[in-house]
Amino acid sequence: MLALLTLLLVEVANAGLLRFGGLLTERFGGDDQHVSFTLQGNQSLLESHAGSNSTTHFYKNALLDHFGGLSDEKHWLQRYYVDSSQWGGEGYPVFLYIGGEGPQGPVSSSLFMYELAVEHKALVLALEHRFYGESRPVEDMSDANLKFLTSHQALGDLARFVEYIKAYDPNVNDAKSSPPLSLPASAQESPFVAFGGSYPGNLAAWFKLKYPSVVIGSVASSAPVFAEYDFAEYGGVVGRALSYPLIGGSDQCYSAVEKAVTTLKTLLDSTTPAGSSDKIPSYLRPCSPIGGPLDLATYEAQIFGAFQGVVQYNLENRPPYVSDLCTAMTDGNDDDDILLRLVKTLKLVYGGVTCMPSSFEKSVAPLQDAQFSQAGCDLSCSSMRQWIYQSCHEFGYFQTTTGDKMNPFAAFDTVTAENAGAAIRKAAYNLSASVDYAGPAANAEGLVANTAYGARNLAAHNITAVNGNMDPWHSLGIVNASDPFFNAGDSSSRFPQHVTPSESIVFIDGTAHCRDMYATNVFGQDPEPVSWAHAKIRGNVAAYLA
Ligand SMILES: *[C@@H]1O[C@H](CO)[C@@H](O)[C@H](O)[C@H]1NC(C)=O
Ligand SMILES: *[C@@H]1O[C@H](CO)[C@@H](O)[C@H](O)[C@H]1NC(C)=O
Ligand SMILES: *[C@@H]1O[C@H](CO)[C@@H](O)[C@H](O)[C@H]1NC(C)=O
Ligand SMILES: *[C@@H]1O[C@H](CO)[C@@H](O)[C@H](O)[C@H]1NC(C)=O
Ligand SMILES: *[C@@H]1O[C@H](CO)[C@@H](O)[C@H](O)[C@H]1NC(C)=O
């Protein structure tokens, strides 16, 4: 889930969904009025404490450093959830929901994996990711402590946790969790299946790759397994969605957005400082004077971000939808002022704000705060410093407007990785301004994650990779070869997609981020492509457990 600069990211409270869009800022508005702004999937459907059959525990033996020496054997408390209400007991499977870049709550019965758990009489577990929510291996997020925040450590946590659950003996009082774990049976002989969406989708796939004997199979939804520094394809999929008839897009809609962006850009550039032209409608004016390219990037990313957020979660019960934006963008006469249509459209997303944020300094400030949110923040703990660090360090994922394909935002030429991405790295984490991902293949397209995991060539067994072709993140994922974003971004062809016979691609027409993760008909009658995808996932999970 979740935008500034080129990196664009809007704080989204939890979810385990990748951040997108609009600046890195969690709040925006005029200088005095800070309007709370969260764009995300419909969280209440994914997880909620209310009415859940889950119990909450903290695992006391979580290890700070899985790759360090004995002197580094510091332990910490990692939060997890257990739902044994459906479990058949000994020998019946265990379904592990992998937490990601946000606080993790208990697994909701609105998830498709819960539906499968009922069918297979599975025990359902969820493990919160280190550094997020209430799971804190260190006192604070100083630059030095952030070295313990990596996907590799997270996989180590998962393996250690599974080992603990397998060793649990129902006849012995548990001392390793607080409150103590209480299961009706031993899970020693149970097959484990991992589930995750978005960044946790990566983790689900990488877990099967790196710890093949720990889980029998993994379902990896919307997993952007190809790490890319300059993630220009994101805007390309947004452009494609705006013109995709199945979800209410049209060529007219695409052209209208492109015209609005170009018109606005011309006005921005017509004055010094940029954006002070009184021909810009007041709603679209910068909240503070634009002092340079980074402020301009902040501003442009905010406009881009409105479209990002809507496309990423289209039709997942959180209006407005693409069809609403397209109606607003194309409604009226050709003579209408295109910028007034843009205002009407942005109001659907940002509501009653009075200007657009335009201060780079303000937008990175929350990233510089090395303190965790106060303990007890639960599902509303902040995740921004953590997730942007992971992006800067391991994955890139800077959502830029530099794409040369299907990109109606191209006129916004300040939202670049070289510009804003580099500035965020430096301002928030004192990482060198130039791309300098440590590792054997340190270059813009060989981020650490690609060489460590193989990107779209996972070379593993029993992985189901699920994506929707209207999800911007699918362009970094494992998809049908007929898709325009197949192997996108890998210009040096170092990591071409390759699937083994036991890896399965489930590629859905018309759906957005993580759509397959919701249970049957939670949003009303599922479209046929969703039912088709569910049937495939259901079949694969049954095969792993056969
Ligand atoms: C809790 O488990 C019971 C027993 O299976 C079930 O009837 C109920 O629907 C479950 N509640 C939730 C919220 O999953
Ligand atoms: C989330 O979904 C629930 C249940 O469908 C709905 O009542 C609620 O309004 C949705 N929340 C948002 C923010 O759209
Ligand atoms: C930032 O990193 C540079 C180079 O490693 C170092 O010299 C400098 O002291 C660091 N600045 C801060 C504020 O930590
Ligand atoms: C991907 O390929 C499968 C199998 O050929 C097909 O059923 C599915 O419709 C395709 N999905 C998309 C979005 O093209
Ligand atoms: C893959 O799943 C099959 C069951 O379909 C199982 O026999 C096999 O051990 C699994 N392979 C791995 C590497 O987990």
Side-chain angles (χ1 to χ4, degrees):
M1 101 219 91
L2 316 240
L4 173 55
L5 328 314
T6 257
L7 186 187
L8 311 277
L9 166 280
V10 177
E11 165 84 333
V12 174
N14 14 19
L17 303 176
L18 287 166
R19 277 48 174 176
F20 65 82
L23 306 243
L24 290 172
T25 178
E26 154 170 34
R27 294 165 187 294
F28 78 94
D31 281 349
D32 331 294
Q33 63 170 81
H34 285 262
V35 178
S36 171
F37 171 58
T38 60
L39 277 177
Q40 60 184 74
N42 193 320
Q43 199 55 30
S44 66
L45 287 171
L46 288 172
E47 51 192 10
S48 144
H49 291 283
S52 160
N53 281 321
S54 286
T55 52
T56 308
H57 307 262
F58 286 84
Y59 174 50
K60 296 194 272 188
N61 262 5
L63 199 58
L64 174 62
D65 186 359
H66 295 281
F67 314 103
L70 290 177
S71 58
D72 276 335
E73 262 201 5
K74 189 194 159 215
H75 291 113
W76 56 285
L77 298 170
Q78 187 164 20
R79 184 161 69 165
Y80 69 96
Y81 303 90
V82 180
D83 183 340
S84 58
S85 66
Q86 312 301 324
W87 196 32
E90 218 160 300
Y92 283 86
V94 180
F95 286 2
L96 174 61
Y97 187 79
I98 299 178
E101 73 281 21
Q104 182 62 49
V107 173
S108 146
S109 56
S110 300
L111 285 182
F112 184 62
M113 60 122 13
Y114 199 87
E115 197 175 321
L116 297 180
V118 173
E119 291 168 18
H120 289 280
K121 296 191 188 323
L123 174 67
V124 178
L125 306 175
L127 182 67
E128 188 167 64
H129 193 293
R130 60 168 56 208
F131 281 82
Y132 295 94
E134 306 280 353
S135 297
R136 303 163 182 185
V138 287
E139 293 279 284
D140 63 33
M141 299 180 279
S142 65
D143 292 348
N145 280 341
L146 285 175
K147 74 167 184 274
F148 297 110
L149 173 55
T150 67
S151 61
H152 304 278
Q153 296 286 2
L155 296 175
D157 293 339
L158 286 162
R160 190 174 174 88
F161 176 64
V162 170
E163 189 181 0
Y164 158 61
I165 298 291
K166 284 190 172 169
Y168 172 84
D169 180 343
N171 302 311
V172 177
N173 285 339
D174 171 53
K176 289 185 178 155
S177 285
S178 170
L181 177 61
S182 170
L183 292 177
S186 161
Q188 182 81 54
E189 303 302 326
S190 296
F192 280 60
V193 182
F195 295 82
S198 208
Y199 163 54
N202 288 350
L203 294 175
W206 296 339
F207 195 37
K208 185 62 185 137
L209 172 72
K210 295 292 185 186
Y211 299 87
S213 63
V214 177
V215 288
I216 194 94
S218 282
V219 179
S221 299
S222 297
V225 291
F226 179 69
E228 186 181 28
Y229 180 61
D230 181 351
F231 183 17
E233 292 79 13
Y234 190 114
V237 182
V238 172
R240 185 158 183 248
L242 295 172
S243 57
Y244 206 64
L246 182 64
I247 57 169
S250 62
D251 290 345
Q252 294 87 317
C253 178
Y254 178 101
S255 303
V257 173
E258 187 171 49
K259 186 173 168 198
V261 167
T262 312
T263 306
L264 180 57
K265 181 65 172 179
T266 304
L267 286 179
L268 287 168
D269 285 352
S270 69
T271 55
T272 309
S276 54
S277 162
D278 57 13
K279 294 199 178 112
I280 298 178
S282 64
Y283 191 84
L284 295 178
R285 300 240 176 100
C287 292
S288 50
I290 288 174
L294 291 175
D295 287 346
L296 189 53
T298 304
Y299 173 90
E300 294 180 351
Q302 192 67 39
I303 310 279
F304 177 39
F307 293 90
Q308 290 183 263
V310 169
V311 169
Q312 184 168 316
Y313 296 110
N314 189 42
L315 299 175
E316 293 180 3
N317 248 30
R318 196 184 187 288
Y321 300 134
V322 169
S323 57
D324 301 315
L325 301 195
C326 282
T327 300
M329 282 309 298
T330 57
D331 193 22
N333 305 317
D334 285 351
D335 304 341
D336 283 0
D337 186 342
I338 190 74
L339 292 184
L340 294 181
R341 290 194 218 164
L342 180 62
V343 168
K344 214 160 72 172
T345 305
L346 292 187
K347 279 186 174 168
L348 295 174
V349 180
Y350 294 144
V353 303
T354 56
C355 55
M356 293 292 133
S358 51
S359 163
F360 177 80
E361 200 185 314
K362 266 196 191 171
S363 69
V364 292
L367 296 184
Q368 294 163 329
D369 182 357
Q371 299 309 309
F372 286 109
S373 300
Q374 197 147 15
C377 49
D378 192 12
L379 298 184
S380 55
C381 304
S382 175
S383 315
M384 289 189 63
R385 179 166 168 82
Q386 297 94 310
W387 175 241
I388 302 304
Y389 173 75
Q390 288 204 264
S391 299
C392 285
H393 180 239
E394 285 185 276
F395 311 124
Y397 292 161
F398 285 94
Q399 296 139 40
T400 64
T401 50
T402 57
D404 53 10
K405 205 158 67 172
M406 291 179 266
N407 173 21
F409 306 97
F412 284 166
D413 57 3
T414 58
V415 188
T416 67
E418 287 316 318
N419 172 5
I424 292 170
R425 291 168 50 83
K426 181 92 184 114
Y429 312 106
N430 198 24
L431 293 170
S432 74
S434 61
V435 188
D436 178 22
Y437 294 91
N443 63 56
E445 286 166 15
L447 306 193
V448 178
N450 290 337
T451 47
Y453 305 116
R456 296 180 180 105
N457 179 4
L458 285 171
H461 290 289
N462 297 357
I463 293 174
T464 300
V466 194
N467 279 285
N469 68 349
M470 290 295 117
D471 170 15
W473 294 95
H474 93 269
S475 55
L476 302 181
I478 296 171
V479 302
N480 283 9
S482 56
D483 186 71
F485 296 93
F486 177 68
N487 275 335
D490 189 13
S491 55
S492 55
S493 296
R494 292 186 55 219
F495 308 96
Q497 179 172 309
H498 176 258
V499 294
T500 66
S502 70
E503 287 171 2
S504 164
I505 299 175
V506 179
F507 192 43
I508 319 172
D509 192 17
T511 62
H513 202 51
C514 295
R515 175 62 180 85
D516 60 284
M517 296 180 78
Y518 295 94
T520 304
N521 298 339
V522 275
F523 304 142
Q525 184 67 42
D526 284 339
E528 188 277 329
V530 171
S531 307
W532 167 83
H534 277 168
K536 286 202 74 162
I537 297 165
R538 176 178 271 120
N540 288 356
V541 170
Y544 301 151
L545 295 173

